[in-house]
Amino acid sequence: MSGATANTPPVDERTVRRAVLASAMGNATEWYDYGVFTSGAIATAIGTVFFPGEGNAVLKSLALVAVGFIVRPFGGAFFGPLGDKLGRQKVLAITILLMSGCTFLVGCLPTYAGSYSIGLGAPIAILLLRLIQGFSTGGEYGGAATFIAEYAPTKRRGFFGSFLELGTLAGYVLGNIVVLAVTLSLSADQVESWGWRIPFFVALPLGLVGLYLRSKLEDTPEFRRLEASGNKPVKAPLKEIFTRNWRMVMNLIGIVLLLNIADYMLLTTMPTYFTDTLKINDNTSTLIIIGVEVVQMAIILPLGALSDRIGRKPLLLTAAIGFIVLSWPSIKLMQSGSILWLVVGFLIVALLLVLMLAVIGSTFPAMFPTRVRYGSFAIGYNISTSLFGGTCGVVVTALIKSTGNNDWPAYYLIAAALIAIVPIIKIPETSQVPIEEIDTAGTGGTLAGATR
């Protein structure tokens, strides 16, 4: 072990697993919300009961999802550097409570019309909740990934890091299962009248469990080492992030562009693409998505472990090249009119995505030094997510409707992959480098150190 870690006692595997679970719960809570909000039946109900007029209800609901992404970079810029100053654990306790609380409160809101209504106050209230949630989510993911990466042993950082996105998939699947249970149990009128509220109530216990788990853990060994050495930032290091780490932040933005366009394309755009564009039944669409997500969940941990042996970059490059070559054929399979070929096409894109999901939890934190890791990650990740990921559903749906061309999901994915392949090539391979010995500040990726 290097001298950098001399002041920090080794962490037993049980504590590492608790830290991983506590971190993944936040991601599960975030994506549970997306799973509920973007499912066909709930998206239609939200757009109908909160907004006046006869316009496209689903597009209105997707716009609400996109609005939350506007403030995510501000949340990242606030919570990220704060996590570098105060510690990861304290900030993550705040973000999970805000996220789950906002989702829960959506289920409590009065609607635009009806017996329990407040007119124009309803769309304003749901908009405010989405903005608060987006702000808090901006501080969640970077902190959760940092928390895992700083607890995990070097030789298993890929394996443990993949649990973060297992949380994403599990939360999304849970959201879809709850929605499916509601829509199968109630009539369409009951769902629109009051049943749409039920899935939102489930978010609060999810968040409270995550909060409890996080409150029982110490801060990460890396943050405690930094604190003991006297190198912890005295104030939130926002300026330092942009002056010394901007090159690596730009690389992060480029990779996240593909990651989140693919992620949000599959998880938030495809449900409405299946129902609105391909005219697939809501419940059939939900079952297809759940099935494919379960396949992703089954292979994400082995892929994370594989990255510990062969590196992160081979998986990222395979995914980017795959999106360039296979996105258009996959969309054509989905459009074939056959449920079987639709599933095959969707599965191809989902497998390319899971190659990225398996390694980002270990790749992105290792791009930055401990002193500014949380903030650099949170800012770069959320700028890219806000500009490209959160707007994906609205932009692609609008392009399809305005042009009549149903191939826009493929074009969007191909363009994103062409951009992302450059920073993927440029970033250093960090799979065998102890996180305390990573130094990227101002150099674009100078690495040193032996494994532990």
Side-chain angles (χ1 to χ4, degrees):
M1 183 175 292
S2 70
T5 58
N7 295 324
T8 308
V11 181
D12 63 277
E13 183 156 323
R14 185 182 175 203
T15 302
V16 173
R17 291 184 180 278
R18 286 171 55 209
V20 168
L21 178 60
S23 300
M25 279 298 296
N27 234 31
T29 302
E30 175 190 348
W31 280 89
Y32 173 84
D33 174 84
Y34 294 138
V36 169
F37 232 98
T38 59
S39 64
I42 302 300
T44 301
I46 292 291
T48 301
V49 302
F50 280 98
F51 296 94
E54 298 294 326
N56 188 305
V58 172
L59 196 57
K60 291 174 183 176
S61 188
L62 288 177
L64 269 180
V65 174
V67 161
F69 285 86
I70 294 173
V71 294
R72 277 187 67 150
F74 300 102
F78 176 78
F79 286 115
L82 196 64
D84 287 321
K85 176 180 181 290
L86 300 179
R88 289 66 162 113
Q89 190 260 3
K90 293 183 180 68
V91 173
L92 286 171
I94 298 170
T95 57
I96 196 169
L97 191 59
L98 285 173
M99 285 193 313
S100 58
C102 286
T103 302
F104 171 78
L105 288 174
V106 168
C108 303
L109 287 178
T111 56
Y112 178 77
S115 56
Y116 181 51
S117 62
I118 53 174
L120 285 174
I124 293 171
I126 196 171
L127 176 63
L128 286 174
L129 284 176
R130 298 307 296 175
L131 290 172
I132 295 170
Q133 186 183 54
F135 187 80
S136 59
T137 302
E140 169 65 28
Y141 187 79
T146 296
F147 204 76
I148 292 177
E150 292 184 349
Y151 257 108
T154 299
K155 292 183 179 180
R156 303 189 71 194
R157 196 162 65 229
F159 172 71
F160 284 118
S162 63
F163 275 88
L164 189 64
E165 290 300 327
L166 181 65
T168 291
L169 298 170
Y172 191 81
V173 167
L174 178 61
N176 276 274
I177 288 173
V178 172
V179 169
L180 185 63
V182 169
T183 55
L184 289 175
S185 304
L186 303 175
S187 68
D189 287 342
Q190 287 174 320
V191 171
E192 186 173 313
S193 175
W194 55 269
W196 63 268
R197 299 180 184 276
I198 296 172
F200 291 100
F201 294 149
V202 177
L204 189 59
L206 282 178
L208 291 176
V209 169
L211 178 63
Y212 173 79
L213 291 171
R214 291 177 179 186
S215 67
K216 295 297 180 182
L217 286 164
E218 286 188 283
D219 220 313
T220 69
E222 265 307 283
F223 183 79
R224 283 181 281 137
R225 179 194 64 78
L226 190 71
E227 207 168 26
S229 71
N231 292 324
K232 183 176 73 72
V234 176
K235 59 181 181 179
L238 188 60
K239 181 180 178 182
E240 184 177 338
I241 289 168
F242 288 107
T243 56
R244 298 187 183 181
N245 295 273
W246 67 269
R247 290 183 181 86
M248 199 58 77
V249 169
M250 292 301 296
N251 285 333
L252 177 65
I253 288 172
I255 300 170
V256 173
L257 181 147
L258 172 59
L259 167 72
N260 274 337
I261 283 179
D263 213 357
Y264 289 91
M265 185 79 74
L266 263 73
L267 301 184
T268 67
T269 306
M270 281 302 168
T272 54
Y273 182 78
F274 288 168
T275 55
D276 280 14
T277 304
L278 302 184
K279 307 303 178 186
I280 304 295
N281 174 273
D282 272 344
N283 290 336
T284 302
S285 170
T286 301
L287 285 170
I288 291 169
I289 291 166
I290 289 173
V292 170
E293 298 302 300
V294 169
V295 172
Q296 287 183 306
M297 290 171 67
I299 64 174
I300 191 168
L301 299 183
L303 287 171
L306 177 65
S307 78
D308 285 324
R309 296 196 297 274
I310 68 171
R312 327 295 187 208
K313 291 178 69 171
L315 273 68
L316 291 171
L317 284 170
T318 300
I321 294 167
F323 279 120
I324 293 168
V325 174
L326 297 175
S327 290
W328 189 80
S330 297
I331 291 295
K332 285 303 178 185
L333 287 174
M334 295 183 212
Q335 296 169 358
S336 66
S338 162
I339 293 294
L340 175 60
W341 288 117
L342 183 149
V343 172
V344 171
F346 188 58
L347 185 60
I348 289 171
V349 182
L351 292 176
L352 293 173
L353 172 60
V354 81
L355 290 174
M356 300 190 75
L357 294 178
V359 299
I360 58 174
S362 52
T363 302
F364 293 163
M367 291 168 67
F368 304 100
T370 304
R371 182 180 166 86
V372 293
R373 180 169 293 130
Y374 192 160
S376 300
F377 187 159
I379 290 170
Y381 185 89
N382 285 293
I383 287 173
S384 190
T385 301
S386 177
L387 292 175
F388 308 109
T391 58
C392 179
V394 174
V395 172
V396 170
T397 302
L399 286 169
I400 291 170
K401 290 185 179 298
S402 63
T403 64
N405 187 336
N406 293 339
D407 296 340
W408 273 105
Y411 302 152
Y412 222 60
L413 284 169
I414 292 168
L418 288 169
I419 294 169
I421 203 165
V422 176
I424 289 173
I425 291 170
K426 289 178 66 177
I427 63 171
E429 178 59 70
T430 57
S431 64
Q432 295 298 313
V433 182
I435 202 156
E436 70 274 8
E437 296 183 13
I438 289 170
D439 175 18
T440 57
T443 67
T446 301
L447 300 177
T451 60
R452 60 180 167 92

